[in-house]
Amino acid sequence: MLRELQDFLARTIEEFSSEAEFIDVRAEFLTSFSTSVENSVLKGLNKANSRVIGIRALVKGCWGIGSTDDFSPESIKKAFREAIASAKALASRAGGEVKLSEEKVYSDSKEVSVKISPSDVDVEEKIKLVLEFNKIIRNTDSRIVNCRTTYSDSSREILYLNSEGASIYQKLPSVFLYASAVAREAEKTQASYEAIGGQYGYEKIRELDINELGLKLGKEAVELLSAETIKGGTMTVVMDGRVSGTFAHEVFGHAAEADNILNAKSFLSGLVGKKIGSDEVTIVDDATVPGAYGSYFYDDEGVPAQRKVLLEKGVLKTYMHSRETAGIMGVKSTGNGRAQDPRHRVYVRMSNTFIAPGNWSPEEIIEDTKHGVYVEKALGGMEDPVGGGFQVSALKAWLIENGELKKLLRAVSISGRALDILKKVDAVGKNFVLEPGFCGKGYAGDYVPVTTGGPTVRVSEMIVGVGGR
């Protein structure tokens, strides 16, 4: 069926090509499964299949979009007409400014290979997994009052064709295991979480030691009940890889998206080639990381996935681009044109964004710190891409005194101005971790899969305050 659809879409693009300057088509087939358990009770079980086609047409610098989930020839051609008609309607009111960068045209077929396809695993095994994982966590301690475990998998098959001759197929699988635990003692309540997964087959799940993972998670939630509250102030901060990754994504990454530059929504505007950070810090967006949730072979405009060094030893090297922003700024796309699905708009989006590893071991960084805090497990972040201000929340922290972790602290927040913080990074670890997630953008809150992470990172001065838990 895919081959027949591919041939039909190519012929239909040719049929309508005289009515637009550029046309592209994205077709997606999605198969997904999920199940969740809360306190040993099965709460959710869902298996779904969906398919959709989206068409973009460019007329006099204006985009028009059409879509359909009916794959009959009549419905597909109707969606083509809708895209072209809407583009013409916009162009008739006021000319647009869209100009696409010139890119190499590809005809290709790629897929992530897996050892065990999740679709070949019985539903009973998946349910048993989340039930057992839930039980292990709950039995860790009587103070665990709530526990939720979730498993999900999916397979996305994506076709991309355009009027320049591109014809690309890619298949991207994913598996995920997530758990959260809430501990309570008297008036105190604390929580912890764990998320594992990415573009793997079910072999990734079978390789896990859920007993070890569950015990660790349960104990962490309970231990936080006795954690102290930090007084706060300006001090040295050591971030674990999850927190440094949130910093890289939320604080720096969004500001390095070229559409934010063009819309005057970034503190990085006009700073390419300038030194804005210390020699210790290098930040990368890499869509080619094997197994990472934010990886792909080609973006949603048919441009190959790439590894981009955005900040190199403190020097801003480039922004992330779609073909649209690259065309406006006179450069090549970096393969960061992404959409939630074929019905949604293509934005400049991150893939796998992280601070590159350095030369210190995590132990050396702690031992070299006289006074400060070590923050672990990001809970989220807020950024002001225009002014460069930010705040990142972490699940827990440790007070560092004379090179040792002395006191466990409950949730903390770290904040400051990005350009100040980048200059104050003075140690970066050799270790490295990646964590899967989603990133939203646009008025509709369109979401795409991403990965954040990195090594242990020390900042000589940051503002530390009480977190949200």
Side-chain angles (χ1 to χ4, degrees):
M1 178 187 174
L2 277 173
R3 186 68 219 180
E4 292 176 0
L5 177 63
Q6 207 164 359
D7 291 343
F8 176 76
L9 291 175
R11 292 195 302 271
T12 308
I13 289 173
E14 186 175 357
E15 178 183 340
F16 287 95
S17 61
S18 62
E19 299 186 45
E21 300 153 22
F22 175 84
I23 298 173
D24 68 2
V25 182
R26 288 171 286 140
E28 179 179 285
F29 298 79
L30 176 64
T31 301
S32 63
F33 172 86
S34 65
T35 183
S36 62
V37 168
E38 186 172 5
N39 298 333
S40 298
V41 178
L42 186 65
K43 289 290 188 177
L45 183 66
N46 184 61
K47 191 173 184 179
N49 293 282
S50 64
R51 61 183 191 176
V52 64
I53 288 177
I55 297 100
R56 294 193 307 173
L58 184 62
V59 177
K60 294 182 180 179
C62 291
W63 284 118
I65 298 175
S67 66
T68 180
D69 58 7
D70 180 348
F71 279 28
S72 67
E74 296 79 12
S75 293
I76 293 173
K77 287 190 177 185
K78 181 181 178 182
F80 269 82
R81 294 188 188 98
E82 289 174 351
I84 292 168
S86 59
K88 287 181 176 179
L90 287 171
S92 67
R93 296 181 182 180
E97 299 178 351
V98 176
K99 178 184 177 183
L100 301 180
S101 60
E102 293 186 8
E103 304 290 342
K104 185 177 178 180
V105 176
Y106 290 86
S107 180
D108 201 2
S109 178
K110 297 274 191 183
E111 65 178 275
V112 174
S113 61
V114 300
K115 293 179 181 178
I116 305 172
S117 172
S119 62
D120 293 336
V121 179
D122 291 339
V123 170
E124 289 77 9
E125 179 175 341
K126 298 173 183 178
I127 294 173
K128 183 180 178 182
L129 167 75
V130 289
L131 281 167
E132 182 64 22
F133 194 25
N134 197 277
K135 180 180 178 182
I136 291 167
I137 297 168
R138 291 189 72 216
N139 288 345
T140 302
D141 194 287
S142 60
R143 287 168 287 183
I144 300 291
V145 294
N146 186 272
C147 176
R148 189 174 185 90
T149 50
T150 300
Y151 166 83
S152 65
D153 60 55
S154 69
S155 175
R156 293 173 63 218
E157 294 182 88
I158 307 158
L159 276 176
Y160 176 83
L161 298 93
N162 67 26
S163 53
E164 297 170 337
S167 183
I168 298 164
Y169 167 83
Q170 52 186 326
K171 184 175 182 179
L172 307 174
S174 71
V175 293
F176 280 98
L177 188 62
Y178 175 86
S180 63
V182 178
R184 182 179 298 142
E185 186 174 50
E187 299 300 316
K188 295 180 180 179
T189 301
Q190 289 293 310
S192 188
Y193 74 91
E194 195 65 54
I196 295 170
Q199 289 182 4
Y200 303 103
Y202 200 78
E203 67 275 3
K204 182 72 173 180
I205 302 301
R206 287 183 177 167
E207 290 168 1
L208 294 174
D209 185 337
I210 62 168
N211 189 64
E212 179 183 344
L213 195 63
L215 289 173
K216 178 183 175 183
L217 176 57
K219 287 178 180 178
E220 184 172 61
V222 170
E223 286 172 355
L224 282 168
L225 291 170
S226 59
E228 299 182 19
T229 301
I230 195 167
K231 293 181 180 179
T234 299
M235 61 185 72
T236 299
V237 171
V238 179
M239 301 180 281
D240 79 343
R242 290 176 173 181
V243 178
S244 71
T246 300
F247 173 86
H249 176 100
E250 297 288 356
V251 182
F252 180 87
H254 282 296
E257 293 169 338
D259 50 358
N260 284 334
I261 299 291
L262 292 170
N263 292 324
K265 293 181 178 180
S266 173
F267 66 90
L268 294 177
S269 180
L271 295 180
V272 170
K274 306 289 186 181
K275 190 170 179 62
I276 60 171
S278 76
D279 290 341
E280 298 288 333
V281 62
T282 293
I283 300 178
V284 176
D285 182 83
D286 188 355
T288 70
V289 179
Y293 192 39
S295 293
Y296 42 87
F297 297 107
Y298 293 86
D299 74 357
D300 289 316
E301 297 183 306
V303 178
Q306 300 164 41
R307 182 181 191 272
K308 291 82 58 183
V309 178
L310 306 175
L311 187 74
E312 185 173 28
K313 295 183 178 180
V315 177
L316 183 62
K317 305 299 286 187
T318 188
Y319 304 126
M320 288 171 280
H321 286 279
S322 64
R323 289 191 66 182
E324 184 174 336
T325 62
I328 294 172
M329 298 180 76
V331 296
K332 293 290 185 181
S333 171
T334 58
N336 287 91
R338 305 184 66 194
Q340 177 172 309
D341 64 42
R343 294 165 295 192
H344 291 75
R345 175 182 170 182
V346 173
Y347 290 98
V348 180
R349 310 298 298 270
M350 284 173 272
S351 58
N352 308 302
T353 313
F354 51 85
I355 294 175
N359 299 316
W360 296 63
S361 72
E363 295 77 17
E364 287 172 337
I365 294 176
I366 299 296
E367 290 169 2
D368 190 64
T369 304
K370 290 185 178 180
H371 176 77
V373 291
Y374 172 59
V375 293
E376 297 182 84
K377 281 195 172 183
L379 292 172
M382 296 183 293
E383 81 285 351
D384 169 16
V386 179
F390 75 94
Q391 181 177 20
V392 174
S393 297
L395 179 72
K396 66 177 183 178
W398 290 87
L399 183 67
I400 305 172
E401 291 287 0
N402 297 316
E404 295 183 3
L405 302 179
K406 288 291 187 179
K407 291 181 182 178
L408 180 63
L409 306 170
R410 66 183 70 238
V412 302
S413 67
I414 53 176
S415 59
R417 293 181 61 84
L419 291 178
D420 294 335
I421 301 307
L422 289 170
K423 291 171 183 157
K424 293 175 181 176
V425 173
D426 62 7
V428 176
K430 301 175 184 177
N431 60 319
F432 190 75
V433 64
L434 288 176
E435 186 173 54
F438 289 89
C439 175
K441 186 172 182 176
Y443 296 110
D446 291 2
Y447 285 86
V448 296
V450 297
T451 308
T452 61
T456 301
V457 174
R458 185 175 67 189
V459 181
S460 61
E461 280 188 346
M462 290 181 79
I463 299 171
V464 180
V466 177
R469 288 183 184 270

